[in-house]
Amino acid sequence: MATVAENLERIQERMNAACSRAGRDPAAVRLVAVTKTVPTDRIREGVEAGLTLLGENYIQEARRKIEALEDLAVSWHFIGHLQSNKARVAAEYCDWVHTVDRLRLAVELDRQARKRNRVIPVLLQVNVGDEQSRSGVSPDDLPKLFEAVAALSGLSVRGLMTLPPYFENAQEVRPFFRLLRELLERLRGIAPRPGELTELSMGMSNDFEVAVEEGATLVRIGTALFGGRPAISP
Ligand SMILES: *Cc1c(COP(=O)(O)O)cnc(C)c1O
């Protein structure tokens, strides 16, 4: 198995190449290393190799790892579906939440953030493919959700996130990444503080180069960094 450092180097080269094709500054794209199912010693290896942003998508697993790795200077991004009754755990342990997709969750996360004197940076998750099986607000309902969440003082909306439909051929995902970027541009037009609305969390192991070409600022990469995951997640 390749080391995490070797995989990271290869991914950075591919991200840099995608940036130069798109005329983008590589410093504007950050890598969120998705550590779900990855054991803590391999996460440490990744952090020694230079990872600084880590992403988890099961809240109990996130909590366990954040506690076990609290000596590391990293930020933890929550990227999974979040039930409102788990907002307390997210507010206590996670630095960012990428998956705010409904007002009820936002209200609960805001309440938990204010209790802790925190302002949590969040992204609104959009269901760009209008797939029934996916979480996310529909593009049509996004402006209304944005306006409601932007009014909550415990949350700071920084941008949008998506999990687009899956295609073997990453080029076929391009229109969905482009749509997310266009939706962000439209929101900037109605945002009270448009300068804060800059992040596009999109792109995973099989399609991150296309996502970077389309404007991703946070790419979420798991298997290309750490190797394959067991078929069944905990
Ligand atoms: C697992 C996961 C990823 C990473 O997927 P890979 O294909 O392993 O890179 C990214 N985003 C979310 C929301 C995930 O759950």
Side-chain angles (χ1 to χ4, degrees), residues 142-160:
L142 174 64
K144 202 170 134 228
L145 179 65
F146 170 71
E147 287 188 320
V149 180
L152 302 172
S153 62
L155 305 182
S156 166
V157 185
R158 300 295 177 82
L160 303 178

Side-chain angles (χ1 to χ4, degrees), residues 1-8 11 31-49 51-56 65 69 76 205 220-230:
M1 189 159 40
T3 65
V4 180
E6 286 162 350
N7 291 339
L8 176 59
I11 290 165
L31 171 63
V32 178
V34 178
T35 52
K36 63 185 180 209
T37 78
V38 178
T40 51
D41 51 349
R42 199 148 162 89
I43 299 176
R44 282 187 186 280
E45 188 192 328
V47 172
E48 276 160 28
L51 300 175
T52 55
L53 311 181
L54 305 181
E56 282 285 337
K65 286 184 182 160
L69 297 169
W76 290 91
S205 291
R220 309 179 308 265
I221 300 184
T223 48
L225 258 179
F226 297 106
R229 284 184 294 270

Side-chain angles (χ1 to χ4, degrees), residues 67-183:
E67 283 176 339
L69 297 169
E70 65 181 1
D71 56 304
L72 299 180
V74 293
S75 43
W76 290 91
H77 288 228
F78 190 73
I79 62 172
H81 180 72
L82 191 59
Q83 290 171 288
S84 301
N85 64 4
K86 300 285 161 46
R88 183 186 62 76
V89 185
E92 186 165 344
Y93 289 89
C94 299
D95 297 294
W96 284 59
V97 176
H98 288 219
T99 45
V100 172
D101 61 354
R102 57 203 191 281
L103 188 56
R104 179 157 179 258
L105 170 62
V107 165
E108 186 55 23
L109 202 54
D110 169 66
R111 200 170 70 85
Q112 297 293 342
R114 284 186 290 106
K115 262 197 196 170
R116 293 168 176 78
N117 290 313
R118 282 193 68 190
V119 178
I120 304 178
V122 299
L123 307 177
L124 303 182
Q125 180 175 1
V126 185
N127 186 354
V128 287
D130 260 327
E131 293 173 287
Q132 293 226 315
S133 59
R134 290 260 194 246
S135 317
V137 63
S138 70
D140 286 348
D141 293 338
L142 174 64
K144 202 170 134 228
L145 179 65
F146 170 71
E147 287 188 320
V149 180
L152 302 172
S153 62
L155 305 182
S156 166
V157 185
R158 300 295 177 82
L160 303 178
M161 177 272 201
T162 197
L163 258 169
Y166 180 81
F167 293 96
E168 197 75 38
N169 175 1
Q171 292 301 335
E172 293 182 56
V173 192
R174 189 181 295 278
F176 297 100
F177 291 147
R178 191 167 290 170
L179 173 60
L180 196 71
R181 187 185 63 202
E182 287 165 3
L183 292 169

